[in-house]
Amino acid sequence: MDAAPPRRARNAAGDILDAAHRVVARDGAGRLTLDAVAREVGMTKGGVLYNFPSKTALLAAMLTRMLERFEVEAAEAAVAAAAAGHSAPTLRGMLEAVEKLDNDHPQLHLAIVAAGAEDPAALAPLRAMAARLQARILDETADGPGAMLACAAADGLIFQRLMDMPPADPALRAAVRARILAIADALEPRA
Amino acid sequence: MDAAPPRRARNAAGDILDAAHRVVARDGAGRLTLDAVAREVGMTKGGVLYNFPSKTALLAAMLTRMLERFEVEAAEAAVAAAAAGHSAPTLRGMLEAVEKLDNDHPQLHLAIVAAGAEDPAALAPLRAMAARLQARILDETADGPGAMLACAAADGLIFQRLMDMPPADPALRAAVRARILAIADALEPRA
DNA sequence: TCCATCAAACTGACCATCCGGTGCAAAAAC
DNA sequence: GTTTTTGCACCGGATGGTCAGTTTGATGGA
């Protein structure tokens, strides 16, 4: 909303969220406990609970932070893609946002499994954003299945990363990304 | 291996695993407790622990059962695809196994998030199988990125299903599946 | 046919631990 | 000195796991 409060030198809330991601990455979503987060960030449980009134709030904050960053990236990339004359700017924006977030904050996606493990209903904001994005993407092209194929492939890359699955060769992974972008560019625009 | 022991009319272990999947599907991986499973299957916690010596063992059994079923399906479909003259039989087998398992036992994939939530290291068998499969798939085609694109898209469909994400229209989902299979068939075989 | 036997399968009570959350006092920051 | 932030002891409940005992059902002998 407003600018970050300059009042506080260190952003405790952000540090706590980072620590939570680290815990999930290392020990799994089921081991994400307030004590573990406090230990990781070098604080006590009281301090954590001061910044986030409950564990549910912490999980929600993890998810919303990820969604916000993703949406910002996706929107910017979509604008750029539209300016560059790409036929499916929203899809391109999403694909590039996936890649950027994956590179800059590889653990951010873990918010999905962390929140989903505690309560599947907590993923509602994620679902809502995905539905919004999907609607816009489908609206921009005449080839719905092609666009959804690109989406599924991008989600698959996220999934593989989440589960430490076999990207094996990073070069291969990059090649797959290039293919996905190529598919996006080859989509025929809405008639 | 040998015939099922006639001693026991009901397969308790299988029932327990089914119940565990139902709990994860309904309440989330974080709510998968021994008591919850016992309640779901109509037993006491002691009974569950009689069949599986620990919760970790139960999670491992969920995962291995899923992997076994998947590998059987994939192997059969691969043989059929090879007989039908498809260029990338292993990839086709995998894609068809994903689809079949998703239709017949939609909750089976939840074993992944259930096991991964408790302990990421428990997913080692999954990673091993994926790596094995990937090696064979890459060995069958000259277009590695294309094959991995199909894999990623298939994983994306699983991911979307796991997270109750927006396949939205089942027809659209089916169309995406058809596209993935088309990509697999269009791959050039290894020179 | 009936009963004694025995092992597998399961129950129910119980334990130790952990976890989320509270209350309050002590610092820190301003 | 006031407000913000953190430390710390503690509680109620849930959870994984143990254990002794009970039920079930097949087997075999008289």
Side-chain angles (χ1 to χ4, degrees):
Chain A
M1 314 298 173
D2 45 5
R7 185 72 160 284
R8 214 189 295 151
R10 195 184 70 165
N11 181 3
D15 292 346
I16 292 172
L17 293 180
D18 291 339
H21 279 100
R22 259 176 280 137
V23 171
V24 175
R26 176 164 23 88
D27 306 327
R31 303 255 168 93
L32 179 69
T33 142
L34 292 177
D35 287 288
V37 173
R39 226 176 298 128
E40 180 78 22
V41 78
M43 220 186 263
T44 58
K45 195 163 54 170
V48 173
L49 277 165
Y50 174 79
N51 288 273
F52 300 95
S54 71
K55 186 185 180 185
T56 304
L58 197 163
L59 289 166
M62 290 175 70
L63 188 62
T64 59
R65 187 175 73 158
M66 175 200 131
L67 292 178
E68 276 171 12
R69 289 191 185 176
F70 179 81
E71 276 198 301
V72 168
E73 293 289 345
E76 286 178 4
V79 169
H86 284 289
S87 57
T90 302
L91 175 56
R92 263 202 86 100
M94 172 200 157
L95 293 173
E96 287 176 15
V98 166
E99 179 168 352
K100 182 139 199 279
L101 222 63
D102 200 25
N103 286 336
D104 294 358
H105 311 280
Q107 301 171 321
L108 211 54
H109 292 312
L110 287 168
I112 296 175
V113 334
E118 200 78 2
D119 178 12
L123 292 181
L126 167 67
R127 284 188 267 268
M129 193 206 68
R132 228 180 305 139
L133 219 54
Q134 176 179 312
R136 285 186 57 188
I137 289 173
L138 288 179
D139 194 53
E140 280 172 2
T141 180
D143 183 7
M148 288 303 103
L149 172 71
C151 283
D155 287 343
L157 289 181
I158 295 180
F159 185 48
Q160 292 170 351
R161 167 66 65 105
L162 279 179
M163 296 298 150
D164 264 322
M165 295 248 298
D169 190 0
L172 190 55
R173 211 177 147 84
V176 172
R177 278 189 169 128
R179 287 285 180 107
I180 300 178
L181 283 179
I183 290 178
D185 277 340
L187 288 178
E188 11 174 342
R190 179 158 286 277
Chain B
M1 318 301 172
D2 45 6
R7 185 70 163 285
R8 209 193 298 152
R10 195 183 69 164
N11 179 4
D15 292 346
I16 291 172
L17 293 180
D18 291 339
H21 278 99
R22 260 176 278 137
V23 170
V24 176
R26 175 165 23 89
D27 306 327
R31 304 257 168 90
L32 180 69
T33 88
L34 293 176
D35 287 291
V37 173
R39 228 175 296 128
E40 180 76 24
V41 77
M43 222 187 261
T44 58
K45 192 164 54 173
V48 173
L49 279 165
Y50 176 79
N51 287 272
F52 300 95
S54 70
K55 187 185 179 184
T56 303
L58 196 161
L59 288 167
M62 289 174 71
L63 188 62
T64 58
R65 188 176 70 158
M66 177 202 129
L67 291 178
E68 276 172 10
R69 290 191 183 175
F70 178 81
E71 277 198 299
V72 168
E73 294 289 346
E76 286 178 4
V79 169
H86 284 288
S87 58
T90 302
L91 176 57
R92 262 203 86 100
M94 173 200 155
L95 294 173
E96 286 175 16
V98 166
E99 178 168 354
K100 182 140 200 275
L101 223 61
D102 200 27
N103 286 336
D104 294 359
H105 310 281
Q107 303 170 318
L108 213 52
H109 293 311
L110 288 168
I112 297 175
V113 335
E118 201 79 3
D119 178 12
L123 292 180
L126 167 66
R127 284 187 267 267
M129 193 206 69
R132 228 179 306 140
L133 219 54
Q134 175 180 311
R136 287 185 56 188
I137 288 173
L138 288 179
D139 194 54
E140 280 173 1
T141 179
D143 181 7
M148 287 302 105
L149 172 71
C151 283
D155 287 343
L157 289 181
I158 294 179
F159 185 49
Q160 293 170 351
R161 166 67 66 107
L162 279 179
M163 297 297 150
D164 264 323
M165 295 246 299
D169 190 1
L172 191 54
R173 211 176 148 83
V176 173
R177 279 190 169 129
R179 287 284 181 108
I180 300 178
L181 283 179
I183 290 178
D185 277 340
L187 288 178
E188 12 174 342
R190 181 159 283 275

mmCIF file with all atom_site columns, all heavy atoms in Angstrom, chain A residues 122-136:
data_model
loop_
_atom_site.group_PDB
_atom_site.id
_atom_site.type_symbol
_atom_site.label_atom_id
_atom_site.label_alt_id
_atom_site.label_comp_id
_atom_site.label_asym_id
_atom_site.label_entity_id
_atom_site.label_seq_id
_atom_site.pdbx_PDB_ins_code
_atom_site.Cartn_x
_atom_site.Cartn_y
_atom_site.Cartn_z
_atom_site.occupancy
_atom_site.B_iso_or_equiv
_atom_site.pdbx_formal_charge
_atom_site.auth_seq_id
_atom_site.auth_comp_id
_atom_site.auth_asym_id
_atom_site.auth_atom_id
_atom_site.pdbx_PDB_model_num
ATOM 1   N N   . ALA A 1 122 ? -6.576  -22.252 2.025   1.00 0.00 ? 122 ALA A N   1
ATOM 2   C CA  . ALA A 1 122 ? -5.749  -21.050 2.072   1.00 0.00 ? 122 ALA A CA  1
ATOM 3   C C   . ALA A 1 122 ? -5.187  -20.694 0.707   1.00 0.00 ? 122 ALA A C   1
ATOM 4   O O   . ALA A 1 122 ? -4.666  -19.591 0.525   1.00 0.00 ? 122 ALA A O   1
ATOM 5   C CB  . ALA A 1 122 ? -4.611  -21.246 3.070   1.00 0.00 ? 122 ALA A CB  1
ATOM 6   N N   . LEU A 1 123 ? -5.294  -21.607 -0.232  1.00 0.00 ? 123 LEU A N   1
ATOM 7   C CA  . LEU A 1 123 ? -4.761  -21.339 -1.563  1.00 0.00 ? 123 LEU A CA  1
ATOM 8   C C   . LEU A 1 123 ? -5.748  -20.574 -2.437  1.00 0.00 ? 123 LEU A C   1
ATOM 9   O O   . LEU A 1 123 ? -5.482  -20.353 -3.625  1.00 0.00 ? 123 LEU A O   1
ATOM 10  C CB  . LEU A 1 123 ? -4.370  -22.653 -2.250  1.00 0.00 ? 123 LEU A CB  1
ATOM 11  C CG  . LEU A 1 123 ? -3.181  -23.384 -1.641  1.00 0.00 ? 123 LEU A CG  1
ATOM 12  C CD1 . LEU A 1 123 ? -2.872  -24.648 -2.419  1.00 0.00 ? 123 LEU A CD1 1
ATOM 13  C CD2 . LEU A 1 123 ? -1.959  -22.477 -1.636  1.00 0.00 ? 123 LEU A CD2 1
ATOM 14  N N   . ALA A 1 124 ? -6.854  -20.175 -1.864  1.00 0.00 ? 124 ALA A N   1
ATOM 15  C CA  . ALA A 1 124 ? -7.874  -19.479 -2.653  1.00 0.00 ? 124 ALA A CA  1
ATOM 16  C C   . ALA A 1 124 ? -7.309  -18.286 -3.415  1.00 0.00 ? 124 ALA A C   1
ATOM 17  O O   . ALA A 1 124 ? -7.616  -18.116 -4.603  1.00 0.00 ? 124 ALA A O   1
ATOM 18  C CB  . ALA A 1 124 ? -9.033  -19.056 -1.745  1.00 0.00 ? 124 ALA A CB  1
ATOM 19  N N   . PRO A 1 125 ? -6.484  -17.437 -2.791  1.00 0.00 ? 125 PRO A N   1
ATOM 20  C CA  . PRO A 1 125 ? -5.941  -16.308 -3.553  1.00 0.00 ? 125 PRO A CA  1
ATOM 21  C C   . PRO A 1 125 ? -5.136  -16.755 -4.763  1.00 0.00 ? 125 PRO A C   1
ATOM 22  O O   . PRO A 1 125 ? -5.201  -16.132 -5.822  1.00 0.00 ? 125 PRO A O   1
ATOM 23  C CB  . PRO A 1 125 ? -5.050  -15.594 -2.535  1.00 0.00 ? 125 PRO A CB  1
ATOM 24  C CG  . PRO A 1 125 ? -5.563  -16.001 -1.214  1.00 0.00 ? 125 PRO A CG  1
ATOM 25  C CD  . PRO A 1 125 ? -6.092  -17.388 -1.380  1.00 0.00 ? 125 PRO A CD  1
ATOM 26  N N   . LEU A 1 126 ? -4.378  -17.834 -4.590  1.00 0.00 ? 126 LEU A N   1
ATOM 27  C CA  . LEU A 1 126 ? -3.615  -18.354 -5.722  1.00 0.00 ? 126 LEU A CA  1
ATOM 28  C C   . LEU A 1 126 ? -4.540  -18.766 -6.844  1.00 0.00 ? 126 LEU A C   1
ATOM 29  O O   . LEU A 1 126 ? -4.340  -18.410 -8.011  1.00 0.00 ? 126 LEU A O   1
ATOM 30  C CB  . LEU A 1 126 ? -2.779  -19.553 -5.262  1.00 0.00 ? 126 LEU A CB  1
ATOM 31  C CG  . LEU A 1 126 ? -2.152  -20.399 -6.367  1.00 0.00 ? 126 LEU A CG  1
ATOM 32  C CD1 . LEU A 1 126 ? -1.100  -19.602 -7.109  1.00 0.00 ? 126 LEU A CD1 1
ATOM 33  C CD2 . LEU A 1 126 ? -1.562  -21.674 -5.809  1.00 0.00 ? 126 LEU A CD2 1
ATOM 34  N N   . ARG A 1 127 ? -5.575  -19.507 -6.490  1.00 0.00 ? 127 ARG A N   1
ATOM 35  C CA  . ARG A 1 127 ? -6.525  -19.960 -7.501  1.00 0.00 ? 127 ARG A CA  1
ATOM 36  C C   . ARG A 1 127 ? -7.179  -18.774 -8.194  1.00 0.00 ? 127 ARG A C   1
ATOM 37  O O   . ARG A 1 127 ? -7.376  -18.771 -9.413  1.00 0.00 ? 127 ARG A O   1
ATOM 38  C CB  . ARG A 1 127 ? -7.575  -20.855 -6.852  1.00 0.00 ? 127 ARG A CB  1
ATOM 39  C CG  . ARG A 1 127 ? -7.057  -22.248 -6.553  1.00 0.00 ? 127 ARG A CG  1
ATOM 40  C CD  . ARG A 1 127 ? -8.186  -23.158 -6.092  1.00 0.00 ? 127 ARG A CD  1
ATOM 41  N NE  . ARG A 1 127 ? -8.282  -23.157 -4.642  1.00 0.00 ? 127 ARG A NE  1
ATOM 42  C CZ  . ARG A 1 127 ? -7.665  -24.025 -3.861  1.00 0.00 ? 127 ARG A CZ  1
ATOM 43  N NH1 . ARG A 1 127 ? -6.910  -24.942 -4.385  1.00 0.00 ? 127 ARG A NH1 1
ATOM 44  N NH2 . ARG A 1 127 ? -7.808  -23.965 -2.554  1.00 0.00 ? 127 ARG A NH2 1
ATOM 45  N N   . ALA A 1 128 ? -7.513  -17.781 -7.401  1.00 0.00 ? 128 ALA A N   1
ATOM 46  C CA  . ALA A 1 128 ? -8.174  -16.614 -7.982  1.00 0.00 ? 128 ALA A CA  1
ATOM 47  C C   . ALA A 1 128 ? -7.258  -15.934 -8.989  1.00 0.00 ? 128 ALA A C   1
ATOM 48  O O   . ALA A 1 128 ? -7.680  -15.594 -10.100 1.00 0.00 ? 128 ALA A O   1
ATOM 49  C CB  . ALA A 1 128 ? -8.572  -15.644 -6.873  1.00 0.00 ? 128 ALA A CB  1
ATOM 50  N N   . MET A 1 129 ? -5.989  -15.761 -8.598  1.00 0.00 ? 129 MET A N   1
ATOM 51  C CA  . MET A 1 129 ? -5.067  -15.101 -9.517  1.00 0.00 ? 129 MET A CA  1
ATOM 52  C C   . MET A 1 129 ? -4.898  -15.932 -10.783 1.00 0.00 ? 129 MET A C   1
ATOM 53  O O   . MET A 1 129 ? -4.887  -15.401 -11.894 1.00 0.00 ? 129 MET A O   1
ATOM 54  C CB  . MET A 1 129 ? -3.716  -14.887 -8.851  1.00 0.00 ? 129 MET A CB  1
ATOM 55  C CG  . MET A 1 129 ? -2.834  -13.933 -9.618  1.00 0.00 ? 129 MET A CG  1
ATOM 56  S SD  . MET A 1 129 ? -1.083  -14.245 -9.319  1.00 0.00 ? 129 MET A SD  1
ATOM 57  C CE  . MET A 1 129 ? -0.877  -15.835 -10.120 1.00 0.00 ? 129 MET A CE  1
ATOM 58  N N   . ALA A 1 130 ? -4.762  -17.230 -10.614 1.00 0.00 ? 130 ALA A N   1
ATOM 59  C CA  . ALA A 1 130 ? -4.579  -18.094 -11.774 1.00 0.00 ? 130 ALA A CA  1
ATOM 60  C C   . ALA A 1 130 ? -5.780  -18.006 -12.706 1.00 0.00 ? 130 ALA A C   1
ATOM 61  O O   . ALA A 1 130 ? -5.631  -17.949 -13.933 1.00 0.00 ? 130 ALA A O   1
ATOM 62  C CB  . ALA A 1 130 ? -4.350  -19.532 -11.320 1.00 0.00 ? 130 ALA A CB  1
ATOM 63  N N   . ALA A 1 131 ? -6.957  -17.986 -12.126 1.00 0.00 ? 131 ALA A N   1
ATOM 64  C CA  . ALA A 1 131 ? -8.159  -17.910 -12.950 1.00 0.00 ? 131 ALA A CA  1
ATOM 65  C C   . ALA A 1 131 ? -8.206  -16.579 -13.705 1.00 0.00 ? 131 ALA A C   1
ATOM 66  O O   . ALA A 1 131 ? -8.541  -16.540 -14.893 1.00 0.00 ? 131 ALA A O   1
ATOM 67  C CB  . ALA A 1 131 ? -9.404  -18.074 -12.069 1.00 0.00 ? 131 ALA A CB  1
ATOM 68  N N   . ARG A 1 132 ? -7.870  -15.507 -13.016 1.00 0.00 ? 132 ARG A N   1
ATOM 69  C CA  . ARG A 1 132 ? -7.857  -14.187 -13.644 1.00 0.00 ? 132 ARG A CA  1
ATOM 70  C C   . ARG A 1 132 ? -6.892  -14.187 -14.832 1.00 0.00 ? 132 ARG A C   1
ATOM 71  O O   . ARG A 1 132 ? -7.232  -13.766 -15.943 1.00 0.00 ? 132 ARG A O   1
ATOM 72  C CB  . ARG A 1 132 ? -7.398  -13.160 -12.595 1.00 0.00 ? 132 ARG A CB  1
ATOM 73  C CG  . ARG A 1 132 ? -8.254  -11.913 -12.505 1.00 0.00 ? 132 ARG A CG  1
ATOM 74  C CD  . ARG A 1 132 ? -7.699  -10.982 -11.438 1.00 0.00 ? 132 ARG A CD  1
ATOM 75  N NE  . ARG A 1 132 ? -7.552  -11.634 -10.140 1.00 0.00 ? 132 ARG A NE  1
ATOM 76  C CZ  . ARG A 1 132 ? -6.510  -11.471 -9.325  1.00 0.00 ? 132 ARG A CZ  1
ATOM 77  N NH1 . ARG A 1 132 ? -5.505  -10.698 -9.696  1.00 0.00 ? 132 ARG A NH1 1
ATOM 78  N NH2 . ARG A 1 132 ? -6.470  -12.082 -8.160  1.00 0.00 ? 132 ARG A NH2 1
ATOM 79  N N   . LEU A 1 133 ? -5.689  -14.685 -14.545 1.00 0.00 ? 133 LEU A N   1
ATOM 80  C CA  . LEU A 1 133 ? -4.662  -14.716 -15.582 1.00 0.00 ? 133 LEU A CA  1
ATOM 81  C C   . LEU A 1 133 ? -5.121  -15.558 -16.771 1.00 0.00 ? 133 LEU A C   1
ATOM 82  O O   . LEU A 1 133 ? -4.965  -15.165 -17.930 1.00 0.00 ? 133 LEU A O   1
ATOM 83  C CB  . LEU A 1 133 ? -3.383  -15.296 -14.978 1.00 0.00 ? 133 LEU A CB  1
ATOM 84  C CG  . LEU A 1 133 ? -2.055  -14.685 -15.404 1.00 0.00 ? 133 LEU A CG  1
ATOM 85  C CD1 . LEU A 1 133 ? -2.081  -13.178 -15.176 1.00 0.00 ? 133 LEU A CD1 1
ATOM 86  C CD2 . LEU A 1 133 ? -0.931  -15.312 -14.601 1.00 0.00 ? 133 LEU A CD2 1
ATOM 87  N N   . GLN A 1 134 ? -5.678  -16.701 -16.453 1.00 0.00 ? 134 GLN A N   1
ATOM 88  C CA  . GLN A 1 134 ? -6.096  -17.602 -17.519 1.00 0.00 ? 134 GLN A CA  1
ATOM 89  C C   . GLN A 1 134 ? -7.144  -16.958 -18.409 1.00 0.00 ? 134 GLN A C   1
ATOM 90  O O   . GLN A 1 134 ? -7.109  -17.078 -19.635 1.00 0.00 ? 134 GLN A O   1
ATOM 91  C CB  . GLN A 1 134 ? -6.640  -18.897 -16.910 1.00 0.00 ? 134 GLN A CB  1
ATOM 92  C CG  . GLN A 1 134 ? -7.197  -19.846 -17.954 1.00 0.00 ? 134 GLN A CG  1
ATOM 93  C CD  . GLN A 1 134 ? -7.717  -21.134 -17.321 1.00 0.00 ? 134 GLN A CD  1
ATOM 94  O OE1 . GLN A 1 134 ? -7.041  -21.752 -16.517 1.00 0.00 ? 134 GLN A OE1 1
ATOM 95  N NE2 . GLN A 1 134 ? -8.915  -21.524 -17.683 1.00 0.00 ? 134 GLN A NE2 1
ATOM 96  N N   . ALA A 1 135 ? -8.084  -16.267 -17.773 1.00 0.00 ? 135 ALA A N   1
ATOM 97  C CA  . ALA A 1 135 ? -9.146  -15.625 -18.548 1.00 0.00 ? 135 ALA A CA  1
ATOM 98  C C   . ALA A 1 135 ? -8.556  -14.604 -19.519 1.00 0.00 ? 135 ALA A C   1
ATOM 99  O O   . ALA A 1 135 ? -8.931  -14.554 -20.699 1.00 0.00 ? 135 ALA A O   1
ATOM 100 C CB  . ALA A 1 135 ? -10.137 -14.956 -17.599 1.00 0.00 ? 135 ALA A CB  1
ATOM 101 N N   . ARG A 1 136 ? -7.610  -13.824 -19.015 1.00 0.00 ? 136 ARG A N   1
ATOM 102 C CA  . ARG A 1 136 ? -7.019  -12.810 -19.899 1.00 0.00 ? 136 ARG A CA  1
ATOM 103 C C   . ARG A 1 136 ? -6.217  -13.458 -21.019 1.00 0.00 ? 136 ARG A C   1
ATOM 104 O O   . ARG A 1 136 ? -6.250  -13.002 -22.158 1.00 0.00 ? 136 ARG A O   1
ATOM 105 C CB  . ARG A 1 136 ? -6.114  -11.884 -19.080 1.00 0.00 ? 136 ARG A CB  1
ATOM 106 C CG  . ARG A 1 136 ? -6.908  -10.909 -18.231 1.00 0.00 ? 136 ARG A CG  1
ATOM 107 C CD  . ARG A 1 136 ? -5.997  -9.912  -17.544 1.00 0.00 ? 136 ARG A CD  1
ATOM 108 N NE  . ARG A 1 136 ? -5.163  -9.169  -18.484 1.00 0.00 ? 136 ARG A NE  1
ATOM 109 C CZ  . ARG A 1 136 ? -4.179  -8.364  -18.110 1.00 0.00 ? 136 ARG A CZ  1
ATOM 110 N NH1 . ARG A 1 136 ? -3.903  -8.219  -16.817 1.00 0.00 ? 136 ARG A NH1 1
ATOM 111 N NH2 . ARG A 1 136 ? -3.473  -7.709  -19.008 1.00 0.00 ? 136 ARG A NH2 1
#
